[in-house]
Amino acid sequence: MKKIFNKLSLVLFAAVVFACSSEDDLVEDWIEVNEPAAPSTGSLDLSNYVAVGNSLTAGFTDGALHPDGQMESYPNILATQFLTAGGGAFVQPDITSGNGFGGVDGDNNALGRSFIDLAAAVAALEGTGSFGDVIQFSSGDFLSQSTNTGSSLNNFGVPGARVVDLTTAGYGIADFGNPFYNAFASDPSTSTILGDAVSADASFFTLWIGSNDVLGYATAGGDGAISAITSTADFQTAYGTVLASLTADGAQGIVLNVPPVTIIPFFQTVTTLNEGVSLIPLDQATADAVNAGYATYNGTLDLLASAAGGELITQAEADSRKINFVAGVNPPVILDESLTDLTAVDPALLSMRQAAIDPTTGSSDLFPLTALSVIGTLADPTNPNSVIGVGVPVEDRYVLTPLEQVEIITAYATYNVIIETIVDANPNVTMVDVRPLFADMYGLSAEQAAALQLGDDGVAAADGVLGLEVGGINLVPLSLSTTELYNSVWSTDGVHPNGRGAALIANEIIKAINETYGASIPEVNPLDYAPINAPF
């Protein structure tokens, strides 16, 4: 109605002022002004687009790199839109087939993309099944050698790559052993991802790198022995080298900064599904029996707190470590390395406590999706008292404590300052800030966005409303409910966006291109792309 009213108003106004013009002429003029501009590249040369990054760039979804994911990677979506304005071809590594490759199982069989078992999801949501059965893996295919390598490629997204890995020679072999790069490296023993990308001679590039420099630590439950956070100095040196190399011959580019990794579904789904950290259901008799087993542990903590004026442990810490189960659902027992090590006093006094939510800050321990298949199972199949989370504490790699979350937030916030500083000093590059999109999508409050250090724009975009409305559908990060499952824009691995999520990212880049370079690249409709992988 608004458009019709505006058109009629324009016609009536013009009829009075310009008596010599006919109504048909005015309508044609209005249509000419308001119809979408023909696709154009503006001042940008899109004849040879090159994408550099990690799994987010490669099209890795559902825990695997597979052809469907590659076709709906955000770079391929961009390249398709660039074609409407005369852009060039976009070649991706042809190293996958079928359900793709995401790793191997215990018998060294290839694992393919994961999927949602709908029956298991319904049972779990109704309380008659386990959430650990919801996400299943298909059989996969091992990677094959790409027929296109080095300069003949356009997509240099390598799953698992950190910014410091882009400049590492032989990253696909030896101690590094990244099979995804090994499959398309120009020379697996000497080439670098950056070197291969530069050899492609881009006229325009995108760079999205840096997430894995902190994500590995996060997915390892804050266990630095498994994966450490890249140091600030190493990140700054590597990022500066990468961007300088990509623009050395005059190429223009868009870079994306590091998203807030602790709010992705991989870390939030377990807590959301259970409306907190209570994951262990017990009846009264079982709770009483478990509490009897922890009576000595709890009592010893009180003794140590009162001994020698609390020099070993304060009463506050003793209280936080005490374990008590009730009839109903309970938070699991977890290991927390930040607690005082008391094993020298008694080897049985492990650094453990029950998971909790801070009543003041609202922060809580986070359990990754991988914890769903562990918590509540037996650590020792022959011992019924070895239930993980009850008689045996959940290992550190399956929990992110609030202190570990602060480390992660501090790291990616520091990385983003580095990225912005380097971009500001390079006239060939524009930065797309992805933090507002995440703040809006996840329904964060302004206070939450500020605590996650999402910048002024991220705080402004935080409206407290979960999801984004597209075409009358509310797209959400990841939901296992039957009403919202197909509205999810993250894939079943909880880390990588699905096709619809990739389309949202592509649109953010297109907006930046159009604004910066005076181009008119058409945006895409996210609903035209694949939803979450949950077979009917």
Side-chain angles (χ1 to χ4, degrees):
M1 288 295 294
K2 183 177 180 182
K3 290 181 180 178
I4 294 174
F5 176 78
N6 287 342
K7 185 168 73 175
L8 291 175
S9 298
L10 176 62
V11 171
L12 291 173
F13 174 78
V16 174
V17 178
F18 307 105
C20 61
S21 298
S22 69
E23 181 176 326
D24 288 342
D25 291 337
L26 291 170
V27 170
E28 289 177 3
D29 290 342
W30 185 91
I31 292 175
E32 181 178 347
V33 170
N34 289 278
E35 69 178 354
S40 70
T41 63
S43 62
L44 194 60
D45 179 1
L46 294 176
S47 60
N48 188 26
Y49 164 45
V50 168
V52 183
N54 51 36
S55 52
L56 296 169
T57 298
F60 190 103
T61 65
D62 300 318
L65 184 67
H66 53 92
D68 289 346
Q70 289 181 287
M71 289 301 296
E72 294 196 344
S73 64
Y74 81 82
N76 201 53
I77 294 173
L78 286 175
T80 301
Q81 297 307 103
F82 294 165
L83 285 174
T84 67
F90 190 76
V91 180
Q92 304 194 89
D94 55 343
I95 61 178
T96 65
S97 61
N99 287 316
F101 176 77
V104 297
D105 62 17
D107 297 320
N108 205 39
N109 296 312
L111 291 174
R113 63 189 300 197
S114 54
F115 61 92
I116 300 290
D117 185 317
L118 292 179
V122 171
L125 291 168
E126 292 177 346
T128 59
S130 169
F131 282 110
D133 297 327
V134 173
I135 299 175
Q136 301 290 331
F137 284 88
S138 59
S139 59
D141 299 288
F142 286 101
L143 299 173
S144 57
Q145 287 300 123
S146 179
T147 56
N148 297 291
T149 61
S151 61
S152 63
L153 289 170
N154 294 85
N155 192 332
F156 293 89
V158 179
R162 304 166 298 167
V163 66
V164 293
D165 295 324
L166 298 185
T167 58
T168 300
Y171 176 59
I173 60 172
D175 295 336
F176 311 104
N178 188 308
F180 299 99
Y181 179 53
N182 184 63
F184 69 81
S186 61
D187 186 333
S189 61
T190 62
S191 64
T192 67
I193 300 171
L194 177 61
D196 282 349
V198 169
S199 72
D201 194 23
S203 61
F204 171 75
F205 67 89
T206 56
L207 173 67
W208 197 6
I209 195 72
S211 296
N212 286 336
D213 292 80
V214 66
L215 182 62
Y217 177 79
T219 56
D223 189 338
I226 297 176
S227 182
I229 296 175
T230 300
S231 71
T232 299
D234 288 345
F235 188 96
Q236 183 168 7
T237 298
Y239 204 98
T241 299
V242 170
L243 206 54
S245 299
L246 290 172
T247 57
D249 291 332
Q252 294 175 302
I254 296 283
V255 305
L256 296 86
N257 55 3
V258 181
V261 299
T262 58
I263 67 170
I264 62 175
F266 185 80
F267 298 110
Q268 294 292 335
T269 300
V270 175
T271 303
T272 301
L273 288 172
N274 294 277
E275 298 181 349
V277 294
S278 295
L279 310 173
I280 304 292
L282 297 179
D283 57 31
Q284 188 64 62
T286 304
D288 290 342
V290 172
N291 289 337
Y294 281 111
T296 300
Y297 173 81
N298 291 341
T300 303
L301 292 174
D302 282 333
L303 289 174
L304 292 175
S306 61
E311 291 182 1
L312 279 176
I313 183 176
T314 65
Q315 187 61 55
E317 182 177 342
D319 291 341
S320 72
R321 296 172 69 143
K322 289 179 181 177
I323 294 170
N324 181 62
F325 286 88
V326 299
V329 288
N330 297 266
V333 179
I334 65 172
L335 290 176
D336 183 350
E337 60 186 12
S338 70
L339 298 173
T340 303
D341 186 356
L342 299 175
T343 54
V345 177
D346 184 343
L349 294 175
L350 300 177
S351 296
M352 60 184 180
R353 60 175 174 82
Q354 283 180 281
I357 297 177
D358 189 310
T360 303
T361 65
S363 62
S364 71
D365 299 296
L366 296 178
F367 296 95
L369 277 176
T370 49
L372 286 176
S373 60
V374 173
I375 296 174
T377 64
L378 294 177
D380 178 359
T382 66
N383 180 4
N385 295 321
S386 67
V387 177
I388 297 175
V390 182
V392 175
V394 178
E395 293 180 52
D396 180 56
R397 62 191 172 118
Y398 294 115
V399 188
L400 269 184
T401 67
L403 286 177
E404 290 166 340
Q405 293 168 50
V406 169
E407 290 181 291
I408 293 164
I409 293 169
T410 301
Y412 71 64
T414 302
Y415 294 165
N416 282 335
V417 171
I418 291 171
I419 293 171
E420 186 170 1
T421 301
I422 293 174
V423 167
D424 285 345
N426 192 320
N428 283 31
V429 183
T430 298
M431 188 185 81
V432 169
D433 187 354
V434 299
R435 297 173 297 180
L437 176 63
F438 277 66
D440 191 6
M441 169 69 69
Y442 282 87
L444 300 180
S445 66
E447 292 76 16
Q448 289 172 319
L452 290 166
Q453 299 193 41
L454 301 191
D456 292 341
D457 290 341
V459 172
D463 59 6
V465 179
L466 181 67
L468 295 173
E469 185 168 328
V470 176
I473 294 178
N474 190 46
L475 297 179
V476 298
L478 178 62
S479 173
L480 297 183
S481 72
T482 54
T483 56
E484 290 188 319
L485 178 63
Y486 288 99
N487 297 356
S488 302
V489 298
W490 250 251
S491 72
T492 56
D493 60 31
V495 175
H496 304 92
N498 57 31
R500 291 180 173 181
L504 291 172
I505 296 296
N507 278 344
E508 293 299 307
I509 297 172
I510 290 172
K511 292 173 188 175
I513 289 174
N514 290 343
E515 180 178 347
T516 304
Y517 301 103
S520 56
I521 306 298
E523 295 181 32
V524 299
N525 181 358
L527 300 183
D528 290 339
Y529 297 85
I532 197 166
N533 188 29
F536 287 99

